[in-house]
Every structure is written in C-alpha cells, then in structure tokens.
Amino acid sequence: IDLVYKVICTDYSIADCLLPITSRIYMLLQRLTCIISPPVDVVASCVNCLTALATWRPAKVWSDLHHTGFLPFCATSVSGLTYNSSGEGMNAGNYGNLLIGVEQPQGE
C-alpha cells in the first residue's frame, strides 16, 4: 500500500493503471476497521493512499469511501442547526469506532 501511495504521489497519470489495486483499498479499510484490534499502521497506509487518490479524483474517492461506512454519518434525517451541532443522530462510523477502541486506550 505504501508503494502504491508513493507511485501515485510521484505520477498521477499511473493512477488509472493501478485501479485494480486501489479499488481494493476500500474493502481492506472496511474490513480492517471492523476487527477488534486492527493494525493501525495498515489503516493509516490505506488512508494515506486514498488521500493521494483524492487529489486526483476527489468525488470518486469520497463516494467510494462513503459507501464503506468508514466516515461518520447521519443515522437519521437531520433538520435544524441546533440538532446538527448537538451530534444527535450521528453514527461514528468505523473511523470513530477505531478512535474510541484503539486511540483513546492506547494513546496512539
């Protein structure tokens, strides 16, 4: 994953050729963040690679990442600024669960 990241950062034109590999990063990220004690360094490598891809095709990365459940999302329909700022109806997503389960207890 780190090699793919470095290649994409070096030459974005190769990103299309790496699509069979990069498209699997979403599935890997989704599966890694669902286990009890995920390898944080591998998760970080996946996120770095997707960040590099996002500079090339942000809408595609955002859409694909949204479908993994990795990012926080609204679990209910939201209306009103007060309700939005309270965090009610928000789901932490796998990223939030990772922070709660790994970062807080371990301090990493």
Side-chain angles (χ1 to χ4, degrees), residues 11-67:
D11 186 2
Y12 289 109
S13 66
I14 298 175
D16 276 336
C17 298
L18 296 175
L19 193 57
I21 297 170
T22 58
S23 64
R24 302 285 188 224
I25 293 174
Y26 301 99
M27 182 176 58
L28 177 62
L29 187 60
Q30 183 179 26
R31 290 184 179 176
L32 284 175
T33 55
C34 289
I35 61 176
I36 293 171
S37 187
V40 179
D41 54 337
V42 178
V43 172
S45 292
C46 289
V47 171
N48 284 339
C49 194
L50 294 178
T51 302
L53 284 172
T55 59
W56 174 64
R57 285 201 174 155
K60 179 174 179 11
V61 171
W62 180 260
S63 174
D64 291 347
L65 195 55
H66 173 73
H67 287 87

Side-chain angles (χ1 to χ4, degrees), residues 61-62 65-66 68-74 90-96:
V61 171
W62 180 260
L65 195 55
H66 173 73
T68 65
F70 181 70
L71 299 173
F73 58 92
C74 288
M90 290 296 294
N91 185 308
N94 291 338
Y95 177 72

